[in-house]
Amino acid sequence: MSLKLYNSMTRSKEEFKPARKGEVGVYVCGPTVYGHAHLGHAKSYVSFDVLVRYLCYLGYSVTYVQNITDVGHLTDDADQGEDKLAVAAKKEKKHPMAVAEYYTRSYFEDMDRLNCVRPDISPRASGHITEQIELVKTLLEKGYAYEANGSVYFEVSKFADYGKLSGRNVEEMLAGARVEVSPEKRAPVDFALWKKAEPNHIMQWPSPWGPGYPGWHLECSVMSMKYLGQPIDIHGGGIENKFPHHECEIAQSEAANGVQFVRYWVHNNMVTVDGQKMGKSLNNFITLKQAFSGAHERLTKSYDPLAVRQLILNSHYRSPLDFSDPALFAAQSGYEKITETVKAVRKQMHAAGEGEADKAIAEELQQLKEKFEAAMNDDLNTSVALSVIFELVRLAQKLLEDNAATAETLDAVDDLFSRLGGDCLGIVKDEYPQDGGVDDEMMDRLVDVLIEQRSAARSRKDFAAADAVRDKLEGIGIVLEDKPDGTQWRRK
RNA sequence: GGCGGCGUGGCCAAGUGGUCUAAGGCGACGGUUUGCAAAACCGUUAUUCGGCGGUUCGAAUCCGCCCGCCGCCUCCA
């Protein structure tokens, strides 16, 4: 069985086959770095991270490109708005590139915490002005674009396939067009490839048409061509970018190159918060930093980044996802259950006796692996894949309870946790802080001293004193658990 | 107005013609265990899939109508 992906272009699930055997090029629309990343970014980039991880798991050699937009993305209509970076720069009294640098770092920081694998290449739009100018020149030469007053526009009527991705009809769009926003354009649907910059515009570059800056859609065409060639295997992005952004990318790229731009279009759905579109005016706009720290009035506590990740994986990437405090809370509980189980398996693995791995268990593990792969192959059904991880949790807990599994058996369980839950889903870590390290060793000793004190109190039936120790430790995030073979502790 | 999507147990969510009296998680309840807990384990928690019709031997899954919700169409991941 092989991977099937839903291709937005054909509106159907298709068997995935890369253009070059064994190699896959993935391009995903990255963030415009004018603010901290929010929950919407998390859903999008976690979804594509899982796609990339799974392609790697299947043995493909993947080149993952995700741009950083630091110029050209306007706040409003493509013809009249201001550049988002310029607006933020004015507000923060910084140079636009300083703003871009600051939020780019913030973005990577958040994505690292969500355990998203870093893209192989994170090209900046501002670093590819030369290439963008070249593409505009090509489009002018081929007659798909025209210059007007220092700006260059793409003439949509020249590209017959315009609208094929988003299912839009150019004639209807023209008929239903609102007031024409720019007299320079021949048709309202035409879009800017290059915009003339007024003298006081901070970000501008020289061009054959005078000083200016690139249109937003241009960067993705140029950078995906440059780093992945044509056609690219997979282009991902948010569903809201189907139109106009991706439609424009297709038009520019295919008009210029005369070959198919993208083989598989993958779009992920959007998030809502408490059932409504996330927006600054609704007071439900939650950044990842706020979610991780709990510093938002819609949240009752801080959430582990990987619990956020797990909530995202709990639903399908093409379904909308509603973030709410109860949903996050549930995800955190489930995440902790998985984490505690993995830790317990690893701990017992070191204590368990040697011996061949249990054949019946090995068979069960194999079945779980197959079920997991079948789910992932079906257009990345992470919801079912995650349910397999929970089946593995149950299997593992039973083994631990019986306390008879050999180290080899437990190792096989841990291996599956690592490969499926770790490599593919990114919710199981290779190592947990408590697993080792000098500080933790000291911590172990300190807590053991307290446990000894408490045990002494318990054996003389002084439960008040015993409970006091337990309660105080819990107050600082250490939970004591009395097991048949003694008291154990863990971090909350 | 145009385009698209959704409505499954208390909550989240998979399933899209028969194996579904519907996976999994969270929560709740009962039990085992415990000095009491915690954790873990076992069990219970939708004869039903927004409503009404229809197609079919058979529908949560297909069709029609209705109700409700959401997104895109201007920037957004």
Side-chain angles (χ1 to χ4, degrees):
Chain A
M1 200 155 139
S2 58
L3 174 62
K4 283 194 175 135
L5 283 178
Y6 182 86
N7 186 346
S8 305
M9 182 62 87
T10 59
R11 291 153 205 250
S12 60
K13 283 185 199 172
E14 294 176 9
E15 190 176 331
F16 175 72
K17 278 190 184 144
R20 286 155 309 215
K21 199 169 188 297
E23 290 174 36
V24 184
V26 180
Y27 186 92
V28 171
C29 285
T32 301
V33 282
Y34 67 105
H36 291 298
H38 54 247
L39 293 173
H41 291 104
K43 173 164 164 74
S44 184
Y45 298 122
V46 166
S47 298
F48 291 116
D49 179 59
V50 168
L51 169 62
V52 169
R53 283 169 174 271
Y54 192 59
L55 287 168
C56 291
Y57 174 86
L58 291 177
Y60 290 110
S61 166
V62 180
T63 304
Y64 180 21
V65 180
Q66 188 190 98
N67 64 292
I68 297 287
T69 299
D70 57 2
V71 65
H73 199 160
L74 307 182
T75 54
D76 211 310
D77 185 278
D79 305 303
Q80 297 199 320
E82 286 183 88
D83 190 296
K84 288 186 173 189
L85 269 300
V87 172
K90 211 178 288 176
K91 203 166 136 197
E92 299 185 20
K93 296 189 170 61
K94 288 180 186 168
H95 191 280
M97 284 296 109
V99 171
E101 194 61 38
Y102 177 78
Y103 289 113
T104 299
R105 288 178 196 174
S106 164
Y107 171 74
F108 282 130
E109 200 177 287
D110 292 340
M111 291 302 130
D112 285 349
R113 295 191 72 188
L114 283 170
N115 204 17
C116 289
V117 174
R118 292 241 181 148
D120 296 297
I121 305 174
S122 299
R124 272 72 165 172
S126 65
H128 298 74
I129 301 295
T130 312
E131 291 89 340
Q132 296 189 65
I133 289 174
E134 285 307 310
L135 185 64
V136 176
K137 277 160 80 175
T138 302
L139 289 168
L140 278 168
E141 280 162 23
K142 294 199 172 182
Y144 285 102
Y146 56 89
E147 188 197 342
N149 189 29
S151 292
V152 182
Y153 296 95
F154 187 92
E155 190 160 16
V156 167
S157 62
K158 293 270 172 70
F159 186 75
D161 280 343
Y162 193 82
K164 66 180 172 182
L165 175 68
S166 53
R168 273 153 221 267
N169 179 302
V170 176
E171 276 75 45
E172 280 174 14
M173 284 171 61
L174 283 170
R178 298 172 224 184
V179 187
E180 189 169 334
V181 281
S182 169
E184 291 172 0
K185 296 204 292 192
R186 291 181 189 168
V189 286
D190 292 351
F191 58 91
L193 295 169
W194 185 263
K195 290 286 287 178
K196 176 185 178 177
E198 298 306 323
N200 61 351
H201 197 94
I202 308 179
M203 285 185 289
Q204 54 174 284
W205 290 264
S207 81
W209 318 284
Y213 56 95
W216 173 44
H217 312 304
L218 208 54
E219 56 169 299
C220 289
S221 290
V222 159
M223 298 191 289
S224 58
M225 277 176 218
K226 174 162 181 171
Y227 298 112
L228 297 171
Q230 295 283 289
I232 59 179
D233 288 309
I234 296 173
H235 188 131
I239 201 167
E240 79 287 352
N241 278 332
K242 261 183 171 177
F243 186 89
H245 187 51
H246 294 327
E247 204 68 72
C248 295
E249 283 184 42
I250 293 170
Q252 294 161 353
S253 305
E254 298 192 351
N257 300 321
V259 297
Q260 184 184 30
F261 175 45
V262 169
R263 302 179 64 245
Y264 300 88
W265 280 96
V266 179
H267 288 100
N268 76 284
N269 218 311
M270 312 204 32
V271 306
T272 52
V273 173
D274 291 332
Q276 284 182 299
K277 175 180 171 146
M278 188 169 73
K280 280 176 180 157
S281 58
L282 289 168
N283 204 24
N284 66 351
F285 188 90
I286 304 178
T287 66
L288 291 171
K289 288 184 185 357
Q290 288 171 326
F292 301 160
S293 68
H296 194 283
E297 63 182 56
R298 300 267 179 152
L299 305 176
T300 57
K301 65 187 283 290
S302 62
Y303 290 101
D304 191 304
L306 293 193
V308 173
R309 184 176 174 106
Q310 181 158 317
L311 178 58
I312 291 165
L313 299 180
N314 188 229
S315 67
H316 192 88
Y317 75 90
R318 282 192 288 118
S319 301
L321 168 61
D322 186 45
F323 276 99
S324 64
D325 193 66
L328 281 162
F329 196 93
Q332 173 100 27
S333 297
Y335 170 68
E336 283 170 4
K337 185 172 183 172
I338 294 170
T339 303
E340 292 309 319
T341 303
V342 173
K343 282 187 194 170
V345 167
R346 290 178 184 169
K347 194 165 184 176
Q348 190 159 324
M349 194 163 78
H350 296 301
E354 306 269 313
E356 253 181 65
D358 187 293
K359 289 226 172 67
I361 299 294
E363 177 58 31
E364 277 188 72
L365 294 178
Q366 178 61 24
Q367 280 172 11
L368 289 179
K369 182 166 169 274
E370 284 167 14
K371 189 174 172 187
F372 182 94
E373 289 174 0
M376 292 298 281
N377 281 336
D378 183 17
D379 194 30
L380 305 174
N381 191 334
T382 52
S383 186
V384 170
L386 192 56
S387 80
V388 175
I389 300 300
F390 278 106
E391 286 184 55
L392 184 57
V393 163
R394 211 176 322 140
L395 184 151
Q397 290 289 4
K398 272 185 195 156
L399 285 179
L400 294 173
E401 183 149 289
D402 296 346
N403 203 16
T406 63
E408 282 73 9
T409 302
L410 292 169
D411 185 57
V413 172
D414 178 43
D415 184 59
L416 205 58
F417 266 123
S418 299
R419 293 187 62 193
L420 308 185
D423 296 348
C424 293
L425 298 183
I427 53 171
V428 170
K429 295 182 187 172
D430 291 340
E431 277 185 17
Y432 292 94
Q434 207 176 311
D435 288 351
V438 177
D439 288 350
D440 290 304
E441 217 175 288
M442 180 54 75
M443 178 101 154
D444 262 330
R445 287 191 216 160
L446 283 168
V447 178
D448 283 346
V449 168
L450 290 163
I451 287 174
E452 272 171 37
Q453 294 297 309
R454 176 167 168 275
S455 297
R458 289 176 71 206
S459 51
R460 61 174 187 269
K461 308 272 184 202
D462 184 357
F463 296 123
D467 289 351
V469 172
R470 187 171 60 191
D471 292 347
K472 280 185 179 166
L473 281 174
E474 188 169 2
I476 57 168
I478 290 170
V479 180
L480 296 189
E481 297 174 344
D482 297 330
K483 301 280 171 74
D485 54 344
T487 301
Q488 307 216 330
W489 67 276
R490 65 183 168 86
R491 289 197 171 115
K492 203 165 23 176

